[in-house]
Amino acid sequence: ALGISHFFLGNLEQALEMFQTTLKQSEIKGERGVGIADFMTGLIMNYRGESISKAKELIERSLQIFENTKYSLWIAIGLNGLAEIP
């Protein structure tokens, strides 16, 4: 939640660091936490124009996690993020 707060405050570097920490602690955060971290990392990469193909890969991977865990809110958010990629 703190990483998402940093994202919306425009602190993209801090948000990215928090999402990377989440990925390193995947056994603690669970599959949904990893999906959110992947999605937000991909979204930040897309906003910055960095490695768009990698950003798309991360968002697609997060969508697969959301679908597998039936996390409907994040499925909708993920599809929206995917639609933003050029």
Side-chain angles (χ1 to χ4, degrees):
L2 191 55
I4 292 174
S5 296
H6 280 296
F7 173 80
F8 284 111
L9 289 171
N11 303 325
L12 299 183
E13 196 60 40
Q14 289 170 320
L16 201 52
E17 288 175 22
M18 300 201 94
F19 297 129
Q20 295 304 312
T21 299
T22 296
L23 290 173
K24 290 176 187 171
Q25 301 172 342
S26 61
E27 65 281 350
I28 297 169
K29 298 296 184 179
E31 196 172 8
R32 285 181 172 181
V34 170
I36 292 170
D38 277 348
F39 172 76
M40 295 303 295
T41 300
L43 193 64
I44 290 169
M45 290 172 72
N46 182 46
Y47 285 171
R48 290 179 168 178
E50 299 173 355
S51 187
I52 301 302
S53 61
K54 178 66 176 177
K56 183 177 180 185
E57 177 185 322
L58 287 169
I59 292 173
E60 288 173 341
R61 186 168 67 193
S62 73
L63 273 167
Q64 188 64 49
I65 291 170
F66 300 147
E67 289 171 1
N68 290 344
T69 60
K70 299 184 182 0
Y71 205 9
S72 56
L73 172 63
W74 279 93
I75 291 171
I77 293 169
L79 289 170
N80 185 58
L82 190 59
E84 292 182 16
I85 294 180

